[in-house]
Amino acid sequence: MTVTSRLVGWLAGARPAAADVLPVRLGSHSLSRTPATPHRMAGFDQNLVWVTVALLMIGLVMVYSASIAMPDNPRFARYAHTHFLMRHVLSLAMAFVAAVLVFQVPVATWEKLAPWLFVFSLLLLMLVLVPFIGKGVNGARRWISFGFMNFQPSELAKFAVLLYAADYMVRKMEVKERFFRAVMPMAFAVAIVGLLLLAEPDMGAFMVISVIAMGILFLGGVNARMFFVIAAVVVVAFGLMVMLSEWRRERIFAYLDPWSDKYSMGKGYQLSHSLIAFGRGEIFGVGLGGSIEKLHWLPEAHTDFLMAVIGEELGLVGVVLVIGLFMWMTRRIMHIGRQSIALDRLFAGLVAQGVGIWIGFQTFINIGVNLGALPTKGLTLPLMSYGGSAILMNLVSLAVVLRIDYENRLLMRGGRS
């Protein structure tokens, strides 16, 4: 194979010829390694990049569609019709710059920074509770205002806990079969985060963080019996939170019967109008921009209930497309994680799989809430819903996954990460 043909093949994205690929076996995993000099570009998963771009662009269009009529509401009368669109574009631009910078950071650096980033996220979660620092909206104090954007520390906490849990499992591999030495310190760390989040309150973020931590412990090799004990404890804890909180109980009852006279104009209002939106969309939707529910009937249409607007305007076809893109993305991220573990890069593998759990679980919860399959919970649709800090941390986490994939490919081609 000539140098010229190899160069043309690389530019076209072609796979290396069979003669250029050497099989490598690591444990039970079979990989391939292309002999190459370390300075040769390793590349990264371009399909993952394009799926991310597709979700971001669909989200951008739908955020504009869902928010275009909001200035007709006296509450937003001073805003232009493009206000939320332009702020969303600004958020995407800042997130893209951050992702490009994060991609330059070696995974080993994140492993060293993991404990410090976790401590920093705890400090921000405490600061957001201070009245003159934290910004309150609708009874919840979850944001710190920086003028050009409102930052939500809970989004950073998801990323920080993910890194910390992966680093923790690497350090605790020798004692992973012992419950108190392997599990209790991590459970204590998550409990501290949970107390701070529940003080905001933000039970949705606490659920996501708990699932991320549990998932990484399980994938890291914690004894299955201990894992199910942890899962049972978490379920009981969340059950007690619901039982001991009147407004959380009301949400559950409203979820069970959103059409009742008691809840249809109260706790069940969002859910009932979300279901109406999906019903109007049918198979092909009413057309882009044609939603009725976004005209001040469906609250938070551009954030938590963006999927309902997608269902109304793009129909079942649009909903299935979005779900399919998220399923492919989650599966691909998990594959990159498994590949890292096969290359004896445990921290990188757990981080990648943790990102897959994060995006997959939060997407599942958001879509389930929109469809009425799960109780109403304030979680945005990753990569798509309006919200600067969420978009920022989503792209930062995906940039770390792409870096992991880049280093995997470099190692398989004989280079050094």
Side-chain angles (χ1 to χ4, degrees), residues 40-54:
R40 178 179 173 179
M41 181 178 288
F44 50 83
D45 195 325
Q46 295 184 20
N47 290 330
L48 179 58
V49 173
W50 286 116
V51 169
T52 302
V53 170

Side-chain angles (χ1 to χ4, degrees), residues 29-304:
H29 300 269
S30 179
L31 304 171
S32 61
R33 182 179 67 192
T34 304
T37 56
H39 66 270
R40 178 179 173 179
M41 181 178 288
F44 50 83
D45 195 325
Q46 295 184 20
N47 290 330
L48 179 58
V49 173
W50 286 116
V51 169
T52 302
V53 170
L55 287 170
L56 290 172
M57 292 301 100
I58 295 172
L60 178 64
V61 172
M62 296 312 302
V63 164
Y64 180 44
S65 178
S67 63
I68 191 172
M70 289 182 67
D72 296 338
N73 186 326
R75 179 184 171 190
F76 304 103
R78 60 189 178 90
Y79 293 157
H81 290 285
T82 58
H83 173 80
F84 292 97
L85 171 67
M86 298 312 297
R87 287 183 67 89
H88 195 66
V89 169
L90 177 62
S91 298
L92 289 176
M94 290 191 298
F96 175 76
V97 172
V100 170
L101 294 175
V102 165
F103 181 77
Q104 313 304 317
V105 180
V107 176
T109 301
W110 289 113
E111 188 170 7
K112 295 175 183 177
L113 293 176
W116 302 104
L117 190 60
F118 177 71
V119 172
F120 179 66
S121 69
L122 289 180
L123 292 175
L124 288 183
L125 288 174
M126 288 186 279
L127 281 176
V128 79
L129 299 176
V130 179
F132 60 88
I133 296 178
K135 180 180 179 181
V137 177
N138 296 330
R141 190 176 297 278
R142 303 176 184 175
W143 297 268
I144 296 176
S145 179
F146 291 107
F148 58 92
M149 73 173 291
N150 294 323
F151 185 75
Q152 194 169 354
S154 61
E155 295 296 334
L156 176 63
K158 295 173 187 176
F159 182 65
V161 168
L162 186 157
L163 293 177
Y164 181 72
D167 175 61
Y168 176 85
M169 281 309 304
V170 171
R171 291 186 282 108
K172 295 291 184 179
M173 286 303 293
E174 295 181 358
V175 294
K176 65 182 181 180
E177 296 293 329
R178 303 179 186 178
F179 181 80
F180 287 100
R181 292 187 64 183
V183 177
M184 289 305 293
M186 190 66 214
F188 180 70
V190 173
I192 293 175
V193 175
L195 289 174
L196 293 171
L197 288 172
L198 292 176
E200 295 183 5
D202 193 351
M203 187 174 177
F206 182 34
M207 286 177 58
V208 173
I209 286 174
S210 298
V211 169
I212 291 171
M214 288 173 56
I216 289 177
L217 288 177
F218 179 73
L219 294 171
V222 168
N223 185 284
R225 286 177 296 179
M226 291 193 294
F227 175 80
F228 286 117
V229 170
I230 299 168
V233 170
V234 170
V235 170
V236 171
F238 280 113
L240 289 173
M241 290 178 201
V242 172
M243 290 176 60
L244 298 176
S245 173
E246 183 178 355
W247 67 272
R248 290 194 177 106
R249 288 200 308 271
E250 290 294 307
R251 276 194 170 186
I252 297 296
F253 294 144
Y255 153 71
L256 295 173
D257 188 11
W259 307 105
S260 68
D261 294 338
K262 181 178 180 181
Y263 299 116
S264 61
M265 296 301 293
K267 297 293 185 182
Y269 183 80
Q270 281 182 303
L271 176 55
S272 60
H273 281 276
S274 177
L275 295 175
I276 291 171
F278 281 107
R280 291 192 73 248
E282 297 183 347
I283 304 297
F284 299 104
V286 298
L288 186 62
S291 170
I292 297 298
E293 286 300 316
K294 70 182 181 184
L295 303 178
H296 316 304
W297 292 101
L298 180 61
E300 309 299 336
H302 61 311
T303 56
D304 299 353

